[in-house]
Amino acid sequence: MKRALAFAGRNQKEILRDPLSYLFCLAFPLVMLVVMTVVNESIPKESGMTVFRIEKLAPGIAVFGQTFLMLFACLSVSRDRAGSFLVRLYATPARSGDFILGYQIPMLVLGAAQTAVLYAASYVVSLIVKTPLKPLGLFWSFLSLQLSGILFISFGLIFGTLFSEKAAPGLCSIIISLSSFLGCIWFDAESLGGIMLKICKALPFFYCTKIGRSALALSFTKEAFWLPLLIVASCALVFDLAAVLIFRSRMRADLA
Amino acid sequence: MTERSFEMIKTTKLTKKYGTKTAVDGLGLCVYEGELFSLLGVNGAGKTTTIRMLSCLSKPTSGEAFVGGYSVKEAPQEVKKIIGISTQDTAVAERLTVRENLRFMASLHYTDKAKIEERTDEMIQVFRFQEVENQLAKTLSGGWQRKLSIAMALIGDPKVLFLDEPTLGLDVLARRELWKMIERIKEHRTIILTTHYMEEAEALSDRIAILQNGRLKALGTLQEIEEKAGVKGLENAFVAIAGKEESL
Ligand SMILES: Nc1ncnc2c1ncn2[C@@H]1O[C@H](COP(=O)(O)OP(=O)(O)OP(=O)(O)O)[C@@H](O)[C@H]1O
Ligand SMILES: [Mg+2]
């Protein structure tokens, strides 16, 4: 465990010292938060378009931010694998579990910090547009979204382990676009219905935004919250396990 | 070296195949405790592959290797506790400072905080990192990165140290300085060194092995190798041995 923490410390430092991390994981979502709020102000109320209202926008932006967490998780693994740094660590007493934990822990910490910052900013925005968010809702939403954080981080680790430094970020950007569309971050599939809604409901991203929004509204019904939560939690568990197994088998293959 | 010294490294018929290519072919050698042993050979002779197998980074296709009495196949976890490796490519964490790199590496070997700091300070002393200790590794020159990479291999106080082309890309002065460093860190350590610089092997080694196409072509002290080749100077002997067409 101490070795995992040592490795986690190194990974955290490397990410925090990369200015791009702040740009993508914080600045970009914050800019989107402000831009979309401004856009929302110019949408006439009677249009019935609610997706950019702060109570829906904030959780959407939080999930959007997590997709960049995925990108950085992916980059930190694929960069290490491309160089000989990880190889030399393989010749130390550290084991595969230490490495995978060492990649996960800092991402979870950074993920929690990211949601916290985005929600603090959202709260301020909600005060400015005079539709204040409920602090308790923000809290529960923050907690539930850590599950989707685990899911996205697992995606990142899997891509980073399986693909090269060149291919992996590209694959991540596919997931980023997919999840922002099919996760209903920028449009409301539920009011659209039809085939689009079916596709959204077949993928986990939809449920990530859903639990964030329901928790924020404090609507803890089975339909709105618990069922989606179960789906996100199961996906997080499955993909997290997959990430561990894939990393382990890849490490074994590298040492063959 | 007396005959009775402990056999720190012993390989028997050690072989590594990549598909149809045999990178290391039935290697049998023995390195005694406290020896500085040089592995020489042209590009692709199998030096790095041998080091990778000895440091548990690659599994032998057949044959055996023991490091510190532990089998690399059966007890890699024990082997990893007593070795340090500086890979052919410089391998440092780029966005950590020199001190952080050392401390990180130390914490993979030790759990005691005081010990980690002690080893870190010691390496900063030995390698004269004082001036650059708070500099990010990526901002160091190639030579300093190389030294850091070696210091990181040494931080666990390994019984066996593998140095794969440690002076690659160093200028003449830096190379000489690193030689002195290697002499200094030797103590009772066993060091396996690979290099393409014959004067380096001459200056540092107790014994030398010459590989060709993964096979052991010569093994012994400088004098023994010169005698075998029938010429003076390691470079001439190397050319005579490694440059000879293989008679199958
Ligand atoms: N992962 C691999 N897959 C396939 N072939 C490999 C692999 N690693 C090494 N080889 C081959 O094994 C042979 C020995 O390579 P090795 O790296 O051990 O040589 P070397 O003596 O270290 O050479 P150099 O002086 O250039 O570093 C080469 O022919 C190389 O192409
Ligand atoms: Mg080599």
Side-chain angles (χ1 to χ4, degrees):
Chain A
M1 193 61 194
K2 285 218 167 148
R3 292 192 185 112
L5 287 178
F7 190 51
R10 174 260 169 177
N11 292 328
Q12 176 143 2
K13 285 198 189 89
E14 293 245 5
I15 294 168
L16 287 180
R17 285 173 190 175
D18 183 356
L20 286 179
S21 320
Y22 298 94
L23 191 66
F24 282 104
C25 295
L26 278 182
F28 190 31
L30 283 173
V31 167
M32 291 305 275
L33 179 74
V34 173
V35 168
M36 289 308 165
T37 304
V38 172
V39 167
N40 187 56
E41 289 297 291
S42 57
I43 295 175
K45 284 269 183 302
E46 47 280 11
S47 73
M49 191 167 159
T50 60
V51 73
F52 295 145
R53 287 203 198 145
I54 191 68
E55 71 272 15
K56 290 216 166 174
L57 185 63
I61 293 277
V63 173
F64 181 61
Q66 288 178 336
T67 62
F68 289 99
L69 222 54
M70 164 183 73
L71 176 65
F72 278 81
C74 167
L75 278 177
S76 59
V77 181
S78 62
R79 272 189 199 142
D80 277 354
R81 289 179 44 80
S84 39
F85 186 69
L86 201 54
V87 169
R88 81 172 301 161
L89 299 187
Y90 286 166
T92 69
R95 288 164 181 266
S96 64
D98 295 322
F99 294 115
I100 189 85
L101 263 180
Y103 283 121
Q104 283 173 324
I105 294 169
M107 295 318 296
L108 292 174
V109 173
L110 296 176
Q114 181 195 46
T115 316
V117 171
L118 292 180
Y119 271 9
S122 302
Y123 185 66
V124 173
V125 168
S126 78
L127 292 181
I128 294 171
V129 298
K130 302 206 173 63
T131 46
L133 296 169
K134 301 181 199 103
L136 192 63
L138 282 170
F139 174 74
W140 287 119
S141 184
F142 164 83
L143 272 193
S144 3
L145 283 183
Q146 297 320 298
L147 277 177
S148 67
I150 296 177
L151 177 64
F152 281 109
I153 291 165
S154 304
F155 280 138
L157 297 180
I158 291 172
F159 288 144
T161 308
L162 287 181
F163 302 101
S164 73
E165 197 185 7
K166 299 223 169 62
L171 283 160
C172 281
S173 61
I174 292 178
I175 299 277
I176 293 175
S177 341
L178 264 186
S179 58
S180 56
F181 279 106
L182 303 178
C184 301
I185 294 176
W186 309 126
F187 75 95
D188 193 356
E190 277 178 292
S191 66
L192 277 179
I195 182 83
M196 200 62 197
L197 183 61
K198 284 211 179 94
I199 297 174
C200 291
K201 284 193 160 177
L203 292 165
F205 314 117
F206 173 79
Y207 304 99
C208 296
T209 13
K210 182 115 180 162
I211 54 172
R213 285 174 180 162
S214 300
L216 184 58
L218 293 173
S219 61
F220 295 110
T221 61
K222 187 175 152 221
E223 278 295 294
F225 184 74
W226 293 109
L227 220 54
L229 185 78
L230 188 69
I231 293 170
V232 175
S234 323
C235 288
L237 186 72
V238 167
F239 282 99
D240 191 50
L241 262 175
V244 172
L245 294 178
I246 289 170
F247 186 85
R248 189 168 291 178
S249 75
R250 200 59 199 241
M251 179 173 165
R252 220 167 271 157
D254 287 344
L255 298 182
Chain B
M1 275 308 123
T2 60
E3 291 302 310
R4 261 171 295 148
S5 290
F6 177 58
E7 294 176 344
M8 193 53 102
I9 292 174
K10 187 168 173 58
T11 72
T12 45
K13 298 198 180 132
L14 188 64
T15 302
K16 182 74 190 185
K17 289 187 178 153
Y18 292 107
T20 53
K21 163 99 202 164
T22 307
V24 174
D25 195 355
L27 190 64
L29 53 80
C30 184
V31 181
Y32 298 100
E33 185 170 16
E35 247 188 330
L36 195 149
F37 190 91
S38 290
L39 276 179
L40 305 183
V42 296
N43 293 130
K47 306 178 294 293
T48 299
T49 308
T50 303
I51 286 190
R52 283 175 57 87
M53 285 192 281
L54 292 175
S55 51
C56 310
L57 290 174
S58 173
K59 288 214 176 63
T61 310
S62 62
E64 253 297 3
F66 294 89
V67 178
Y70 301 108
S71 156
V72 295
K73 281 175 161 175
E74 311 297 329
Q77 211 56 29
E78 296 304 318
V79 174
K80 288 176 186 180
K81 282 182 195 156
I82 57 164
I83 62 169
I85 177 170
S86 161
T87 50
Q88 186 165 345
D89 311 312
T90 304
V92 299
E94 296 201 332
R95 286 195 201 90
L96 296 195
T97 65
V98 170
R99 177 174 278 279
E100 284 167 344
N101 262 293
L102 292 168
R103 194 189 283 138
F104 163 61
M105 219 48 198
S107 51
L108 296 183
H109 290 278
Y110 304 102
T111 48
D112 180 38
K113 263 214 160 98
K115 182 76 184 171
I116 292 170
E117 286 308 313
E118 180 197 315
R119 287 298 297 166
T120 303
D121 288 335
E122 198 175 327
M123 285 302 120
I124 288 175
Q125 291 283 324
V126 172
F127 285 84
R128 311 217 165 92
F129 284 139
Q130 290 90 342
E131 265 175 50
V132 294
E133 64 171 292
N134 294 317
Q135 214 172 309
L136 294 188
K138 68 171 174 186
T139 66
L140 297 174
S141 74
W144 279 96
Q145 285 190 358
R146 198 95 202 130
K147 276 199 247 176
L148 175 58
S149 197
I150 295 168
M152 286 162 75
L154 206 59
I155 200 142
D157 198 12
K159 286 195 175 132
V160 181
L161 178 65
F162 297 100
L163 299 175
D164 199 353
E165 300 191 31
T167 57
L168 185 72
L170 293 194
D171 65 54
V172 180
L173 294 181
R175 177 171 305 141
R176 293 286 162 125
E177 202 202 332
L178 195 66
W179 290 2
K180 276 193 225 141
M181 205 88 77
I182 291 173
E183 295 278 3
R184 224 180 312 148
I185 60 181
K186 200 180 154 195
E187 297 164 4
H188 304 292
R189 229 180 289 279
T190 309
I191 301 180
I192 312 291
L193 174 101
T194 79
T195 181
H196 288 296
Y197 302 104
M198 294 305 135
E199 75 277 19
E200 185 166 303
E202 237 167 338
L204 296 171
S205 336
D206 295 311
R207 285 195 306 148
I208 296 164
I210 297 177
L211 295 181
Q212 185 188 33
N213 292 327
R215 286 188 214 121
L216 188 62
K217 286 288 149 181
L219 186 145
T221 59
L222 177 60
Q223 284 89 339
E224 285 164 354
I225 291 203
E226 284 173 337
E227 271 164 33
K228 181 177 165 132
V231 285
K232 268 279 165 214
L234 183 57
E235 183 144 353
N236 295 326
F238 180 81
V239 172
I241 293 167
K244 196 162 63 185
E245 285 296 309
E246 272 195 289
S247 48
L248 289 169

